Amino acid sequence: MKIWSLLSLVDIPYVMRPRVIDRAIEGIGLRKQSFLQGAMVLGAAGLATKGMAMMIQVVVARELGAQGFGLFQTINPLFYLLLTISTLALPPALSKVLAENIAIGNLAKARRAWRLSNGTVLVISAAVCLFALAFAPEIAAKWLDARATLPFIGALFRIPVVCLSSVMTGYYMGIQNQTPPAVAWIVETAVRTMTTIPLVIAFSPHGIQYGALAVMIGAGLGEAAGYLFMLSRYLARDRKAMEHAVQAASSSTQANASVQGTARDLVQIALPNTITNITGIVAFAAEPVIMYLAFAKIGIPKSQATALYGAFGMAMELLFLPTVLSSALSSVVIPAVSEAAALRNGALVTRRLNQVIQATMFLALPATVFFTLSGHDLATSLYNVKLAGDILAYVAPTCAFLYVLDPLSAVLQGLNKAAISTLISLVTSAIRIGCIYYFVGIEREGIYGVATAVAIAGIVSTVISVYFVRKYVHLWVNFLNVGKMLIAAALASVPIRETQVALHSLSPSLQVAVSGIVGLFTYLVAAIYLRVVRVEQLERIPVFGTVLVSVLAKMPFVSSHNTAR
């Protein structure tokens, strides 16, 4: 079975609904997208926003320097903790509850969940924001750099907007229409880029705390723009359509839509996810502390350890760049699996799981080859830090494990097994922190010890996730297809290496660009020839699909090969 063919599936509902409810659901006007179509829309938006975000990073690095980044590092853990408390993980819970209840025709309960989630995050986020503002000076004095007080206050005003925007995104994910969030994502990043860059340039001469505040202001303006786009779309089109659909469905069935029952369904999903998120944030905050202790144990001063950890962060930023695509898969797999489970369609749940594994492998294998061979040039061209490239090439072979972890966790959430994801997160966070201290402080591997700890924790987490997923879903992997992807990736490595040799006298950025384009083109052609993907299926890729197909269609052996099928 071909990876892209897996993404065009026919839902077989085992729970039959009255035709009037089917017409009501169709009447919502939400234009539900297919599983892959939604993932590709979000993935394309992610790539576009990632490119714009890198522009901001370059300007911030030049204007604020390492100390400016240090302020963000001290603010981020606390900001994300407050954000997690404010949202209570309701956005993914809402998407799951909406998908389940729309699938079985309980539109009243779906509407109730939507309203309850909005009201809850609005009240909690406002309370958290006011509480943090009242104690901001004390918090800054005890936990932050004194210069971080202003940007921290600026970050607090973002919390209500981010929470409401997240719930709105959860709504569209639940009805499986990923286009509005994707467009809002692009609008948000575009506004953030256009406002942050001039604000940073204008504010930074007054001090790095004002430059950091400018970044927070630009981020808040971008998030507000993205939310207003989705809100206007909802008010103009989807609100009335939802109301009409609920009225049409209620004439056929009187589904229970009590506040208590809806709240219980949301909490069952949101509570474990909240614990998981808080665990991750605590581990995120604890990791540099343990790292500093381990480096101190082997005699490396804090300033040098900070520089090493900075190179590690650069490598991780590049390593996880393709996860904008696997994260897109994760976002759509929760409501897709929830819908299939609500319809008691076990075969469809299995298909959703297997197709996301196949799609992730399709991304991970070429990424592994590219980062292993071109990681040094990539890091040098972007950051001018050779160590970052060394670390990137060192960790690159574990890409497949690291990338597939998010979709596996999403499947567990879609099956209402979020508590298991929490347990896995707790275990692997402990393993990661313990390994950092062991490999850095005892084995004296330096910053490579941190990289080793990340790789080990990622592999262990993936293996445990696979074990638990297999307990609830029949996990079937098309190893023949994976083998073909391995062959295609191996073939792509040849022109990547040869291009690097031929262009060794040119700039690293040019080497990376040419070798990346040649390698990707070779990988796609090999995948087509091995019948992993067809040319016409690539046309579904947003933005780039049409251009890619027009180039490939001019290749006689590719065209004839697909025609022969």
Side-chain angles (χ1 to χ4, degrees), residues 170-344:
Y171 168 79
Y172 281 109
M173 293 295 178
I175 63 177
Q176 300 184 53
N177 183 10
Q178 288 79 22
T179 299
V183 176
W185 199 2
I186 295 175
V187 169
E188 173 189 332
T189 311
V191 172
R192 177 184 294 190
T193 303
M194 291 185 294
T195 56
T196 300
I197 292 176
L199 284 173
V200 168
I201 295 173
F203 283 27
S204 58
H206 303 285
I208 60 173
Q209 65 268 36
Y210 291 98
L213 175 62
V215 175
M216 296 301 174
I217 294 174
L221 292 173
E223 288 154 355
Y227 172 65
L228 289 176
F229 170 81
M230 285 191 289
L231 181 63
S232 61
R233 159 70 186 252
Y234 172 77
L235 293 176
R237 293 185 53 182
D238 299 329
R239 183 179 61 174
K240 291 182 179 180
M242 173 66 83
E243 295 296 331
H244 291 323
V246 171
Q247 293 175 5
S250 63
S251 64
S252 171
T253 180
Q254 295 295 327
N256 179 22
S258 66
V259 175
Q260 294 83 358
T262 306
R264 183 178 60 250
D265 290 347
L266 290 170
V267 169
Q268 285 177 348
I269 306 162
L271 184 60
N273 285 341
T274 301
I275 296 173
T276 300
N277 293 339
I278 292 176
T279 301
I281 292 170
V282 171
F284 173 55
E287 182 178 305
V289 175
I290 300 300
M291 184 267 300
Y292 284 131
L293 290 174
F295 275 118
K297 182 179 175 64
I298 61 176
I300 295 179
K302 191 171 184 179
S303 58
Q304 185 179 350
T306 301
L308 293 171
Y309 195 60
F312 169 79
M314 295 174 187
M316 293 301 100
E317 184 75 19
L318 295 175
L319 182 73
F320 287 100
L321 183 62
T323 58
V324 297
L325 301 175
S326 59
S327 296
L329 287 171
S330 302
S331 298
V332 299
V333 79
I334 294 177
V337 169
S338 299
E339 180 187 33
L343 295 173
R344 293 193 288 274

Side-chain angles (χ1 to χ4, degrees), residues 132-168:
L133 281 172
F135 293 94
E138 290 80 2
I139 293 173
K142 188 172 183 179
W143 300 104
L144 305 176
D145 186 310
R147 296 171 297 179
T149 304
L150 266 180
F152 175 64
I153 293 175
L156 292 177
F157 286 101
R158 295 166 51 195
I159 290 177
V161 177
V162 174
C163 291
L164 291 172
S165 179
S166 298
V167 171
M168 184 71 76

Side-chain angles (χ1 to χ4, degrees), residues 103-157:
I104 62 177
N106 196 345
L107 300 184
K109 191 171 184 178
R111 180 183 62 179
R112 176 77 69 179
W114 160 237
R115 292 177 174 177
L116 186 61
S117 298
N118 266 294
T120 301
V121 299
L122 181 60
V123 172
I124 295 177
S125 64
V128 168
C129 183
L130 292 174
F131 176 84
L133 281 172
F135 293 94
E138 290 80 2
I139 293 173
K142 188 172 183 179
W143 300 104
L144 305 176
D145 186 310
R147 296 171 297 179
T149 304
L150 266 180
F152 175 64
I153 293 175
L156 292 177
F157 286 101

